[in-house]
Amino acid sequence: MAGAFLAFTAVMALAGGIGVVSALVGDLPSPEDLARDPLAQSTKIYDRTGGELLYQFEEERREIVKFGDIPQLLVAATISAEDKSFWSNPGVDILGIARAALADVTGAETGQGGASTITQQLVKQRIVGNENSITRKLREAILAIEVTQTYSKQEILELYFNHIYYGNQAYGVKAAAQAYFGKTDLATLTLPEAALLAGLPQSPSILDPTRQENLDRAKARRAYVLDRMVEDGVATEQQARAAHEQAITTVGPPIAKIKAAHFVFQVRTQLAKILGGDESAVTRGGFKVTTTLDWNRQQIAERQVRDWVQSLHSRNVWNASLVSMDPRTGRVLAYVGSVDYQNRDDPRVQGQFDVAGLGMRQPGSAFKVFTYATALKKGATAATTVVDARTDFGGKATPGDWGKPDAQGRNPNCVYCPENADLQYHGPVTMRQAIRESRNVPAVKFLAEYAGVEDTIRTARELGITTPINADNVGLSLTLGAQVVRLIDMTNAFGTIANRGVHVGPTFITKVEDPRGRVVWEHQDYEQKRVLDEGIAWIMTDILKDTTNPGRSSIFGSWTAIGRPAALKTGTTDNYRDVYAVGYTPQLVTGVWMGNANSLPMSDRDFSSAMGPGQLWRDYMREALADQPVLDWERPASVLSAKVVSAPGAFGGYGSGNVVPSALSPFSSDEWFLRGTEPRRADDLYTQACGKVALRVLDQEAAWQKYADLWVKEANEGKQSYGRYTWSVIGSAGCVQPTATPAPTLPPGTTFPPGFNFPAVPSPTPRPAPVITPNPPPGSTPRPQ
């Protein structure tokens, strides 16, 4: 106390001599401020195991350490280097202050430093600031004395070791030990290492030992510290001599490496929301964030994306993204926002732009799933049949006189005339066949007659699509993927179907801990909401499983089979600007986009969504699931099987979808239905007419019948058969008019669902005419696959 009083008196006398007593004391911060505001600490982002550091967000790279964890060797080295009287002084060195003041007043060089004590250095950086003036130095001295009276010497040292800057973005001694020596345990520091660290705060930039030009200065400063340690009796001459002889070896300047970059930035966005929207809390809070990332699957994803994009350069494919999630929990397991995060220069890549989470891209035919799921909700079944015939949904075009598209790709004779990708039209097809072959015209008919635009948008939102959709802007082109969406949303939406109709939102974080290890947030009781009937989800999945089954789909199955039950839908947009593949197993859902960041079209030569994203999806899923059990979806009790008139093989077409085959029905296959929706109508579309077995083709809407009749005419002329059938077809004006059909002669072995009674043939239930919306703006109508 006596020493503190004398020091304070000397300081105040000097202050009075220059007439600033009131200015110095009147607005001084409180010494309690030294420890009141928490130090900025690095927030560290880990993978789901907590063992792989992905990145750390920080204003100042710092990790707090307790005084008891700081080795005495480092304490002794620091005191010898910076303040040999630390344990006994009142917080200031009076002679040093006088010399500094004199130098400021006279402009003379004293040849000696300002003799700032450890306490003064702490006050300067933590409270007072770096202004170079007599006033600042006097305020610093007064506060240093007050701090000494407020805190113990050990507390002051702890604050110093955690706060002081050591260079190379390292704040605090623990960050410095890691930056220079790669050591996280301070107890492992050697004498030369401790001496080097102790000397750095004097001038961290010019003493930086990681820079070759600074090595001599760093070695001289280390030698100075070692000599002072010998003088102070905390090191022997022999120890110091051995330390002098050791070369300075560092791990090099720390490089802020980032792993899974786009995923990490999604983590930052979610973390800020968890912390109440406070961005500064992310960079200052010192949180430990355990994420959902499966580091092994992330490496698989990055490699597969890179390899497949490289292999497709010849088809002008330069970028891709991938999102992989657990559909049961919404946890994102792998996330690739672009093929190369470091590639900033190539406009086709724009690597730092996150296509997966931020890119608004057309999904093509992958969007059809929402139409078909809505149609199932509104009474259609997997066996419901529409006619795949070239159709103008505005009714303007005369069949056979379609005209040629103009420069913008619009057909002057048509209001809305979508094309099938293969430019083939296969007549009566069931929903399953239409999905399996990704046919465009049937998709539009299911949207117009069964699903409806508004209800399909509602289904998409419920399943996980977050982008706003204006029904008036997209019209019937909605089902072909004219609406832009985010890949992560599409992946999440398909995951809802995989999860038996229960939606779980995506998350990038599983747990957040504060610097004391307390859990402040955990992804545990996450929201689960049923948005789709379990039976409908199961039937939708069963249909999409055909796409990965070579025995069911000759178009896609050989490209996308992964050796286990899996569902998949692909999509290709207009001019091949975007290609999509989204598919799932019970435990993993993955979405893939391919294209170019600048929307440059890919080559349409020998290229398809199955070849590009389909095969990338296949290879990733095979590898990512290699150590996982083979699972399938358990069929709900609400779903039953019935035999319907439908082509059972890889090709669709030429089926009625009715439940009872007749003696004239050329084929039948099993189909799944929600209990109570199985068709009760006997097959009456195959009949004896025109001298042979004929298929009667009736479209569902009168406005479309003339286009179906044209298909009939061309089919009988051999233009629409594609080598797939030999019987005749008859339309509304054919050689035989539809009549009531008597009970057919059933083939041997025909079975019926439990409780089935053969009914009279009912009249078709009339449906309201569809609302037709003209084409969307030029260039927005996608092509399928």
Side-chain angles (χ1 to χ4, degrees):
M1 289 297 293
F5 176 77
L6 290 173
F8 183 78
T9 302
V11 169
M12 295 308 294
L14 180 59
I18 58 176
V20 293
V21 175
S22 60
L24 290 172
V25 179
D27 62 347
L28 274 178
S30 168
E32 281 80 8
D33 290 348
L34 195 65
R36 181 174 292 128
D37 295 329
L39 292 171
Q41 299 185 61
S42 304
T43 291
K44 297 186 177 182
I45 312 298
Y46 292 91
D47 74 337
R48 67 176 183 171
T49 68
E52 190 74 35
L53 179 64
L54 305 177
Y55 194 61
Q56 51 193 55
F57 293 108
E58 56 209 359
E59 291 179 8
E60 300 174 351
R61 180 165 298 171
R62 175 185 284 111
E63 188 172 346
I64 300 297
V65 60
K66 295 292 185 183
F67 179 76
D69 296 327
I70 302 170
Q72 284 302 114
L73 177 65
L74 184 58
V75 173
T78 300
I79 290 174
S80 292
E82 296 294 333
D83 186 3
K84 66 184 302 179
S85 66
F86 171 78
W87 294 111
S88 60
N89 69 44
V92 294
D93 179 346
I94 299 301
L95 292 178
I97 292 175
R99 286 194 302 269
L102 179 62
D104 281 333
V105 171
T106 64
E109 291 291 337
T110 65
Q112 300 181 57
S116 291
T117 63
I118 284 176
T119 311
Q120 285 177 270
Q121 292 179 50
L122 179 62
V123 166
K124 173 184 174 182
Q125 291 205 26
R126 186 70 173 143
I127 302 178
V128 177
N130 291 317
E131 179 190 356
N132 189 20
S133 68
I134 298 174
T135 301
R136 190 272 297 167
K137 292 176 180 177
L138 291 172
R139 288 164 60 85
E140 173 190 299
I142 295 169
L143 271 174
I145 294 169
E146 292 185 355
V147 164
T148 304
Q149 303 308 305
T150 305
Y151 300 95
S152 71
K153 291 289 186 175
Q154 289 82 359
E155 289 172 327
I156 292 171
L157 278 175
E158 182 178 304
L159 287 166
Y160 176 89
F161 278 118
N162 283 311
H163 182 84
I164 211 72
Y165 182 55
Y166 286 85
N168 255 311
Q169 304 303 313
Y171 290 82
V173 72
K174 189 161 187 181
Q178 187 165 8
Y180 292 111
F181 307 119
K183 293 187 174 181
T184 57
D185 183 358
L186 296 179
T188 63
L189 290 171
T190 64
L191 174 59
E193 289 172 343
L196 180 65
L197 289 179
L200 286 175
Q202 184 193 65
S203 187
S205 296
I206 67 172
L207 295 173
D208 179 1
T210 65
R211 299 175 64 88
Q212 184 67 33
E213 63 270 24
N214 292 341
L215 273 178
D216 288 343
R217 284 190 291 263
K219 192 168 185 179
R221 178 62 177 167
R222 185 184 68 173
Y224 169 83
V225 176
L226 289 168
D227 290 345
R228 299 292 78 73
M229 292 179 72
V230 173
E231 284 182 11
D232 295 339
V234 292
T236 66
E237 290 188 4
Q238 184 178 3
Q239 290 172 328
R241 193 179 306 111
H244 277 305
E245 293 173 357
Q246 285 195 21
I248 293 179
T249 303
T250 64
V251 295
I255 300 174
K257 293 182 179 178
I258 185 168
K259 300 175 182 177
H262 290 117
F263 176 86
V264 166
F265 291 122
Q266 288 286 349
V267 169
R268 176 173 182 154
T269 299
Q270 185 178 352
L271 180 60
K273 292 178 181 177
I274 291 171
L275 300 176
D278 186 358
E279 285 285 346
S280 66
V282 175
T283 56
R284 295 181 59 86
F287 296 99
K288 176 184 177 182
V289 181
T290 304
T291 70
T292 60
L293 192 78
D294 183 322
W295 181 236
N296 179 56
R297 285 176 173 157
Q298 178 68 19
Q299 293 177 92
I300 294 170
E302 291 179 0
R303 171 169 42 79
Q304 292 286 1
V305 166
R306 182 176 60 251
D307 290 352
W308 270 105
V309 168
Q310 185 174 5
S311 72
L312 293 170
H313 283 344
S314 62
R315 292 177 171 85
N316 204 34
V317 178
W318 296 89
N319 201 9
S321 58
L322 180 151
V323 177
S324 194
M325 303 168 58
D326 184 336
R328 301 161 296 188
T329 64
R331 296 180 177 182
V332 178
L333 303 176
Y335 189 96
V336 181
S338 70
V339 67
D340 182 3
Y341 176 76
Q342 302 299 333
N343 187 339
R344 306 180 184 184
D345 301 325
D346 191 333
R348 299 166 299 185
V349 178
Q350 297 176 28
Q352 297 200 343
F353 180 74
D354 178 5
V355 182
L358 302 177
M360 304 292 285
R361 296 285 184 161
Q362 290 183 346
S365 290
F367 201 90
K368 291 175 182 175
V369 169
F370 306 125
T371 295
Y372 289 116
T374 307
L376 290 173
K377 290 197 292 185
K378 298 179 72 172
T381 71
T384 297
T385 304
V386 297
V387 178
D388 180 19
R390 193 176 186 188
T391 302
D392 179 0
F393 288 90
K396 175 183 176 181
T398 300
D401 183 20
W402 304 101
K404 295 183 179 180
D406 59 20
Q408 286 74 40
R410 296 169 62 91
N411 196 319
N413 290 355
C414 289
V415 176
Y416 183 44
C417 301
E419 302 275 13
N420 287 331
D422 58 6
L423 301 181
Q424 296 183 6
Y425 301 90
H426 293 168
V429 295
T430 64
M431 178 189 288
R432 180 182 290 272
Q433 293 164 340
I435 296 174
R436 186 166 63 209
E437 297 186 31
S438 196
R439 311 213 64 75
N440 283 351
V441 173
V444 177
K445 288 189 173 182
F446 272 102
L447 177 64
E449 186 176 3
Y450 292 93
V453 174
E454 292 284 1
D455 286 339
T456 297
I457 293 172
R458 186 174 298 109
T459 296
R461 287 199 188 106
E462 290 172 344
L463 292 180
I465 300 300
T466 62
T467 50
I469 304 175
N470 187 312
D472 295 333
N473 289 343
V474 292
L476 294 179
S477 66
L478 173 71
T479 191
L480 304 185
Q483 172 62 43
V484 293
V485 294
R486 297 181 180 89
L487 178 61
I488 189 170
D489 285 353
M490 286 291 287
T491 307
N492 183 227
F494 274 62
T496 301
I497 303 173
N499 197 32
R500 308 174 75 90
V502 176
H503 178 255
V504 181
T507 183
F508 298 87
I509 299 174
T510 57
K511 186 168 61 175
V512 179
E513 300 169 77
D514 69 11
R516 298 181 180 180
R518 296 177 302 189
V519 176
V520 299
W521 185 89
E522 193 165 8
H523 184 254
Q524 195 167 11
D525 298 325
Y526 45 85
E527 181 182 0
Q528 301 184 72
K529 183 180 181 181
R530 175 162 296 285
V531 296
L532 192 64
D533 177 83
E534 182 181 15
I536 291 176
W538 189 91
I539 291 172
M540 195 75 248
T541 292
D542 188 72
I543 295 172
L544 294 175
K545 284 163 69 175
D546 286 359
T547 308
T548 64
N549 184 345
R552 300 286 291 178
S553 173
S554 62
I555 299 176
F556 298 102
S558 61
W559 298 90
T560 58
I562 64 172
R564 63 174 69 209
L568 176 68
K569 188 71 189 78
T570 65
T572 304
T573 61
D574 192 29
N575 294 326
Y576 284 84
R577 286 189 172 91
D578 304 284
V579 282
Y580 246 83
V582 191
Y584 53 89
T585 66
Q587 64 267 61
L588 192 65
V589 56
T590 300
V592 174
W593 167 86
M594 273 186 182
N596 295 304
N598 58 357
S599 294
L600 189 70
M602 296 165 283
S603 171
D604 59 1
R605 177 179 54 84
D606 298 326
F607 184 64
S608 68
S609 57
M611 176 184 292
Q615 290 189 101
L616 169 53
W617 177 88
R618 175 200 65 195
D619 289 357
Y620 167 78
M621 292 290 280
R622 283 178 177 173
E623 196 170 351
L625 290 167
D627 60 347
Q628 297 296 304
V630 176
L631 301 178
D632 203 347
W633 292 266
E634 182 179 351
R635 177 166 58 89
S638 61
V639 175
L640 54 79
S641 174
K643 194 173 291 293
V644 298
V645 180
S646 174
F651 293 97
Y654 325 121
S656 68
N658 292 330
V659 73
V660 183
S662 74
L664 300 177
S665 303
F667 38 59
S668 64
S669 61
D670 293 321
E671 189 54 87
W672 299 104
F673 301 90
L674 287 179
R675 189 177 298 277
T677 68
E678 63 272 22
R680 299 284 179 165
R681 178 171 180 153
D683 178 30
D684 61 347
L685 293 189
Y686 281 93
T687 184
Q688 189 76 34
C690 306
K692 59 193 303 188
V693 174
L695 168 62
R696 185 166 55 244
V697 176
L698 297 177
D699 218 336
Q700 283 84 351
E701 293 293 340
W704 305 337
Q705 189 60 54
K706 60 183 178 180
Y707 304 111
D709 286 343
L710 175 62
W711 181 88
V712 167
K713 176 179 179 297
E714 292 179 343
N716 284 323
E717 293 172 352
K719 298 177 181 177
Q720 301 283 358
S721 68
Y722 314 115
R724 292 161 67 170
Y725 73 102
T726 58
W727 51 87
S728 299
V729 288
I730 51 179
S732 61
C735 61
V736 176
Q737 296 298 319
T739 58
T741 304
T745 302
L746 302 176
T750 300
T751 59
F752 301 91
F756 176 81
N757 292 314
F758 187 76
V761 177
S763 299
T765 303
R767 294 181 179 272
V771 178
I772 303 299
T773 303
N775 274 354
S780 64
T781 305
R783 297 174 65 180
Q785 277 301 353

